[in-house]
Amino acid sequence: TRQFCSLRPVIKLRAAANTLVRLFPIVMATVCASAVITVPRQYLAVSLGASALGIYSSVASPTTVVQVGAQFIYTPLLGTFAEKYNKDKRSAKRLIEKVVVGIVFVGVACIALFAVFGRLALGLIFGADMADYSLLLIPAVLCTFVTGFSFFANDLLIAIRDYAASLAGNIAATAVSLLLSVPMVSVFGMNGVSYCGIAAYGTGAILMLVLLYRDYRRKA
């Protein structure tokens, strides 16, 4: 390695500070995105006990396949989208529409599968007692479906370097989560976590897509 460069680390403070300032919104957006579902889950544990949180987390864990499926569809296309967005915005728009159709297809397919086989799957994975909580499945699937859309909108904004819009959308989602966690969990119990996540991530996704569309119209 010494034949090619020095082994001593060299940190340019000005460049490091510029990078920190420029990328700080992404860090905060990620923190906010993580907090959206964490807030109602923690309130569930406080209000109904750790056992309720454990039950909800167990039932909801298989539903993450929806979010993973959505990310599997769009993640390889983010570089292509960024390139098309800078050169041919109509082509970028068509790509987004195709990805949205793919995500919707995955979501609908998973909802159907969980509706038919969810109770059986919970019994096989966690035992017969957990099958009684199958009513938690569909709201949890819808929550992860909306979460996938929110992450998709966020990653699109990051791909075009619109970090401020990403931060704004995730702050809005966190604000909705903070406002709705207590009433949702108090009224709907464990399902309240999913309903809160749907409302919060849905708000963030809509705002981020609106900001993306505004940028698209401005630069078209």
Side-chain angles (χ1 to χ4, degrees):
T1 305
R2 288 178 178 174
Q3 294 178 7
F4 299 101
C5 62
S6 173
L7 293 180
R8 292 182 179 181
V10 178
I11 299 175
K12 297 181 180 179
L13 294 179
R14 179 174 296 180
N18 289 337
T19 301
L20 174 63
V21 171
R22 186 171 179 228
L23 300 184
F24 185 72
I26 300 178
V27 177
M28 294 307 300
T30 303
V31 171
C32 290
S34 300
V36 168
I37 201 66
T38 301
V39 172
R41 284 191 176 202
Q42 292 306 310
Y43 181 72
L44 176 66
V46 170
S47 60
L48 299 180
S51 60
L53 177 60
I55 292 170
Y56 176 83
S57 298
S58 298
V59 173
S61 59
T63 68
T64 56
V65 67
V66 182
Q67 182 181 332
V68 173
Q71 291 177 317
F72 179 80
I73 291 173
Y74 74 78
T75 299
L77 299 173
L78 289 175
T80 303
F81 168 77
E83 182 179 352
K84 289 180 178 294
Y85 190 84
N86 292 323
K87 296 181 179 179
D88 184 1
K89 287 184 169 50
R90 289 185 179 180
S91 179
K93 182 181 178 182
R94 288 194 295 269
L95 180 61
I96 291 177
E97 291 170 349
K98 291 179 181 178
V99 172
V100 168
V101 170
I103 294 175
V104 170
F105 175 79
V106 170
V108 171
C110 288
I111 290 172
L113 288 172
F114 277 108
V116 176
F117 301 108
R119 183 179 179 86
L120 176 62
L122 287 178
L124 291 175
I125 297 172
F126 299 109
D129 292 340
M130 288 297 293
D132 295 334
Y133 296 97
S134 59
L135 291 177
L136 300 174
L137 271 174
I138 300 304
V141 173
L142 291 173
C143 181
T144 54
F145 175 62
V146 176
T147 302
F149 258 112
S150 179
F151 285 10
F152 172 53
N154 181 70
D155 289 343
L156 286 179
L157 290 171
I158 292 176
I160 64 172
R161 305 294 191 266
D162 194 345
Y163 304 144
S166 168
L167 178 59
N170 284 289
I171 286 177
T174 305
V176 171
S177 178
L178 289 171
L179 289 173
L180 295 183
S181 290
V182 173
M184 285 290 189
V185 174
S186 299
V187 174
F188 300 105
M190 287 183 279
N191 271 332
V193 177
S194 298
Y195 295 146
C196 182
I198 292 169
Y201 280 122
T203 300
I206 291 172
L207 178 57
M208 286 186 282
L209 289 174
V210 167
L211 294 174
L212 177 64
Y213 181 71
R214 187 183 67 177
D215 183 78
Y216 172 86
R217 295 289 294 176
R218 185 173 65 248
K219 295 180 180 178

